[in-house]
Amino acid sequence: DDEFVIGCMTPLRELEINKRLNEYTHGAVRESLRHIVGVQFRNCATIGGSIWGRYGFSDVLTMFLAMDTWVELYDAGRIPLTEFVNRKKDNDILVNIIVRKQPLFVCYMSQRNTKTDFPVLTCAAAKTAGGFRLAIGARPGKAVLYTLQPNAAETPELTAARFAAEVRANIRTESNMRGSAEYRNHLAGVLVKRAVLKLEGNR
């Protein structure tokens, strides 16, 4: 009743079509997965592999970082995904991914040069009673999380612009074959602004 418990060997395709998970995330989980190669690949690739690898290009890591997600490890037990992302890799075993349920609105956005290519930049945003959680991935480093507070005196447009500026000022981006650091920094502001305006429209 109060959490989703997802086994580490769950295929990405099963998450993509899971009715309850997509109702909870307003289709954001489906959106974060549908660009990953093709259905045949998503039937084989697992959420455990995506989360454990902590890959810089991971749509999955960006999506789940924006929610109240925990991982269950065989030795270490349950720890927040925010802690696990920066944890040194070891020989522990990932057992489950746990998403704690709370009232929220969430959306997912990404920029790709071609449809099934690795993303140039990813953005998952969640609006909760405690404020906004903004995860930015494919920097091309692994996803990072920003927790920001809205101002009741601001219009949604001003809030979105402020959040975009703050993320751009603090995010570290790099260049690779898919885009320059400057382009990624610009995209971070664009995607954050779009995501916040979309979420503010749901209030």
Side-chain angles (χ1 to χ4, degrees), residues 131-143:
F132 284 81
R133 293 169 61 92
L134 300 166
I136 308 293
R139 305 171 295 114
K142 60 190 174 185

Side-chain angles (χ1 to χ4, degrees), residues 166-186:
E166 188 164 340
V167 169
R168 287 193 64 188
N170 290 283
I171 193 171
R172 178 182 176 184
T173 57
E174 298 177 5
S175 301
N176 65 6
M177 63 183 291
R178 291 179 177 83
S180 66
E182 294 78 12
Y183 179 51
R184 284 189 163 95
N185 184 277
H186 174 74

